[in-house]
Amino acid sequence: MTAPAVPQRLSAPEPGWTDTVDVVVIGSGIAGLTAALKARELGTVLVVTKDVVASGSTQWAQGGIAAALSPEDSPEDHLQDTLVAGAGLCDPDAVRALVTEGPDAVRDLIELGARFDTLADGDLSLTREGGHHRNRIAHAGGDATGAEIERALVAAVKRADDIRLIEHALVIDLLTAADGGVAGVTLHVMGEGQLDGVGAIRSRVVILASGGIGQLYAATTNPSVSTGDGMALALRAGAKVRDLEFVQFHPTVLWLGKSAKGQQPLVSEAVRGEGAFLVDHEGHRFMQGQHELADLAPRDIVAKAIMRQMFATGKDHVYLDARHFGDEKWRVRFPTILASCRSHGIDPVRELIPVAPACHYSSGGVWTDLDGQTSMPGLYACGEVACTGVHGANRLASNSLLEGLVFARRIAAHLSDGLPPLREPVADSRVPGLVGADVVDEVQRVMTVGAGVIRSARGLSEAGATLAKVIEQPAGEPGTPGWEATNLVTVASALIAAATVREESRGSHWREDHPDRDDRNWSGSLDLTLPPEGETARPRTTFVPHDTKENAHHG
C-alpha cells in the first residue's frame, strides 16, 4: 500500500503583517518555555502558543519527572532502564546526555520555583513507575507534577520582560530560504491583542516545541490542542521525521464507556508504583509471569497484556485495584486522580477502577541531533514533537518531562555559540491544499481501528484507503479547524507509511501479522520525508540501520 498523498502546504491568506525577532519558539510546555527562558540571553524571543500559555500537555502530566536524584540511584542505572524500555532503538549517546544532565536540570527547575513533594527531613519524595528499578520519580502535589512545573515556568516567563508571548495563534507553515534553511513562520492570530489574522514572523531560528499527536485517535490522554501541527509543518517544509510508528498507548486510562471520545482521564503509572495492581473481571491478577516487574513492566508490555486479556475475555476494559491504599493515601498522594474518578462515579477507595489503553505519547517525531538541530538549517525541536533518540521504540515512564527540559537547555547551549544570520525568505512554490474540518471524526475512527494498539497490513491498508478518500473531499474556507484537520491527516499518512513498512513487533509498534521482534532486519529507524509530487506530496520512508547509520532500503 502506498500512503495517501497530502497537501504540500496549507491554504491560507497571504500574510497581512510582518514582524522580526531572533528566536521563535512554537509551544509553551516544559520544552518551549525552558527554551525561551534560556534563549533570552541570546537575542529577542517570541513564544507562539495555540491556546492560552498553560494549555498544552505538560500541565496534564501526573506521575512526575525521572532523574537520578537519590544517593541509591545513578545515571548509569537510569540509562540502563531507558535502554531496556526502548527495545533496542534508543540512541545511547542521547540517553546518556539525558540521564547525566537530568539531575542538575531538575535542581535548576526547583531553583526557578517549582515545588516538589518532600519527606519530613526535606529530601525529595521519590517514587517508582513502570520499567524503573529505582525510586527516581520526583513529583509535586501528589499527582499534579506537570501543573506545578508549568506554573513555575509560566511565572518565570511572565517575569521576563524580554520574552514576548502570543497566545491563541496557530503556526501555519515555515518560511524557507534559498539554501533550504528556515527564515521564519507564517501564523494566524485569533484576534487577541494588536495582531490579528495571518501574518509572518521572520527569525534567525525556529524552535519547535509544539507537542504531540494524540488527537489522531478517538481516545487519548492528550489535550485538544495536540493535533500534530509541528510534525506536519516540519514534514511539509522538507524536514526529516523519525520513528513515527512508535505511538505509546498508556495502559491505564480511565474507561468511561464505548462512546467516550477525546481527552480521557489518566490513571498515572505512579498508582501502580505505589502498589496498585491490575485484575481481570474475575479479580485475577494477570501480570505475574508476563515480566519480571509484573504490574510495573514497561508500558508497551502492560498495554499488550491488557489487550490480550480483553481479547481473551471479550471485555473492553480491565480493572486497577488500589482499594488497599485507604482513604488517606488516596487523598494525600493522588488527589487529582481521586477527584477525577469520583467525578465519574467511581470511588477508588472502595471500588475497582475500570481502565483500558489509550493514545498517550509519540516516541517519534522531527529528527534532531544531540543539540536539537533538525535536518533543516535554523530549525530546532525539543519535547514530544522531536525525536532525539532518547525513547527508541517505547518511552520509559516520566522521561518525557525530563527530555523536554534537558534538550531545550541543550538547544540554548548550542545557540550560545552564535545565532545564524537572518535568512531571506523565498517565494513558496509548493501547491497549497486543505481538507475539510468535518473529517476529523473519521480520521480518528480509522486510525484507532487500523493504526492503534494492534496493527496489520490489512488494517493499515484500509486506514490508508479511507484517508485517501477523506483527502479528496472538498474543503471549506481556510481557518484553524481546517488547518488542524489537514495537519492530522498529514501525520496520519506518514504514520501509516512507517507502520506499514516495519514488518515486526517492537516496543509500542505491534503488528499481529508480524508478532516477533526482528533484530536481523529491523534494528534501526524509519525516516520519513515528504517529497512534492505534482499537486500533492506522498510520505517516503528510508530505513536507517542503527549499526551503520547508513540508508539501506526505501519503502
Side-chain angles (χ1 to χ4, degrees), residues 78-92 95 390 396:
H78 190 183
L79 180 139
Q80 290 304 319
D81 285 345
T82 301
L83 293 179
V84 169
L89 294 192
C90 297
D91 178 343
V95 179
V390 159
L396 181 65

Side-chain angles (χ1 to χ4, degrees), residues 103-116:
D104 283 344
V106 173
R107 293 184 188 103
D108 284 352
L109 201 54
I110 294 170
E111 286 187 21
L112 189 71
R115 299 186 291 263
F116 287 91

Side-chain angles (χ1 to χ4, degrees), residues 319-404:
Y319 292 100
L320 192 62
D321 191 347
R323 292 173 294 182
H324 56 288
F325 283 7
D327 185 70
E328 183 177 359
K329 183 167 184 174
W330 266 111
R331 281 190 295 103
V332 173
R333 181 66 180 85
F334 300 110
T336 307
I337 300 170
L338 177 63
S340 176
C341 287
R342 284 179 170 169
S343 72
H344 292 287
I346 301 156
D347 184 359
V349 179
R350 296 172 180 82
E351 299 176 86
L352 297 173
I353 306 169
V355 293
C359 176
H360 184 57
Y361 190 88
S362 175
S363 292
V366 183
W367 173 85
T368 75
D369 65 12
L370 293 179
D371 295 318
Q373 293 187 90
T374 73
S375 58
M376 290 186 68
L379 180 65
Y380 293 75
C382 53
E384 190 174 355
V385 71
C387 181
T388 63
V390 159
H391 305 308
N394 179 58
R395 174 174 70 82
L396 181 65
S398 288
N399 268 356
S400 54
L401 291 175
L402 189 70
E403 183 201 30

Side-chain angles (χ1 to χ4, degrees), residues 194-208:
Q194 295 180 334
L195 302 177
D196 190 17
V198 174
I201 305 285
R202 294 190 57 197
S203 65
R204 300 172 187 270
V205 165
V206 173
I207 301 175
L208 284 179

Side-chain angles (χ1 to χ4, degrees), residues 45 54 79 94 180 192 199 382 423 452 454 483 523:
V45 177
L79 180 139
E192 296 289 324
C382 53
R423 294 178 176 87
I454 304 172
W483 293 326
S523 183

Side-chain angles (χ1 to χ4, degrees), residues 36 54 99 205 265 318 364 517 543:
V99 300
V205 165
V318 295
R517 174 170 156 175
F543 182 67

Side-chain angles (χ1 to χ4, degrees), residues 79-324:
L79 180 139
Q80 290 304 319
D81 285 345
T82 301
L83 293 179
V84 169
L89 294 192
C90 297
D91 178 343
D93 292 336
V95 179
R96 194 167 294 281
L98 179 85
V99 300
T100 55
E101 297 172 22
D104 283 344
V106 173
R107 293 184 188 103
D108 284 352
L109 201 54
I110 294 170
E111 286 187 21
L112 189 71
R115 299 186 291 263
F116 287 91
D117 297 336
T118 56
L119 302 171
D121 61 4
D123 289 344
L124 283 173
S125 174
L126 301 173
T127 189
R128 192 176 303 192
E129 293 185 359
H132 293 272
H133 285 78
R134 296 281 186 273
N135 288 357
R136 66 169 65 99
I137 316 298
H139 47 85
D143 57 359
T145 312
E148 171 57 19
I149 290 172
E150 184 75 5
R151 181 205 64 76
L153 287 169
V154 169
V157 166
K158 290 188 173 178
R159 289 195 301 267
D161 294 335
D162 48 357
I163 297 177
R164 287 175 55 200
L165 176 66
I166 300 179
E167 298 179 308
H168 305 287
L170 172 69
V171 174
I172 299 170
D173 271 311
L174 294 172
L175 297 171
T176 55
D179 66 353
V182 173
V185 298
T186 56
L187 72 166
H188 180 260
V189 184
M190 290 168 258
E192 296 289 324
Q194 295 180 334
L195 302 177
D196 190 17
V198 174
I201 305 285
R202 294 190 57 197
S203 65
R204 300 172 187 270
V205 165
V206 173
I207 301 175
L208 284 179
S210 53
I213 61 175
Q215 293 300 321
L216 268 183
Y217 295 91
T220 178
T221 61
N222 290 190
S224 60
V225 292
S226 297
T227 51
D229 306 321
M231 291 186 204
L233 71 87
L235 274 168
R236 287 193 296 267
K240 182 169 65 179
V241 170
R242 174 169 287 185
D243 290 341
L244 202 53
E245 68 271 31
F246 296 114
V247 179
Q248 187 175 84
F249 286 75
H250 198 289
T252 55
V253 175
L254 191 62
W255 186 80
L256 299 177
K258 293 180 180 179
S259 60
K261 290 189 62 179
Q263 186 178 8
Q264 306 296 301
L266 177 67
V267 181
S268 170
E269 207 155 272
V271 177
R272 280 176 285 136
E274 295 284 349
F277 51 86
L278 290 157
V279 297
D280 62 17
H281 284 251
E282 303 298 322
H284 299 137
R285 296 183 65 170
F286 57 85
M287 283 307 300
Q288 275 84 354
Q290 302 264 6
H291 188 273
E292 59 158 333
L293 294 174
D295 294 88
L296 276 178
R299 286 178 180 170
D300 62 313
I301 292 169
V302 180
K304 289 172 185 175
I306 291 173
M307 293 302 295
R308 290 191 190 101
Q309 196 68 23
M310 287 161 53
F311 289 149
T313 60
K315 306 293 185 181
D316 41 25
H317 63 282
V318 295
Y319 292 100
L320 192 62
D321 191 347
R323 292 173 294 182
H324 56 288

Side-chain angles (χ1 to χ4, degrees), residues 444-464:
Q444 292 173 339
R445 184 191 69 79
V446 301
M447 290 300 290
T448 300
V449 172
V453 178
I454 304 172
R455 300 162 178 175
S456 67
R458 179 178 177 181
L460 290 164
S461 179
E462 290 174 352

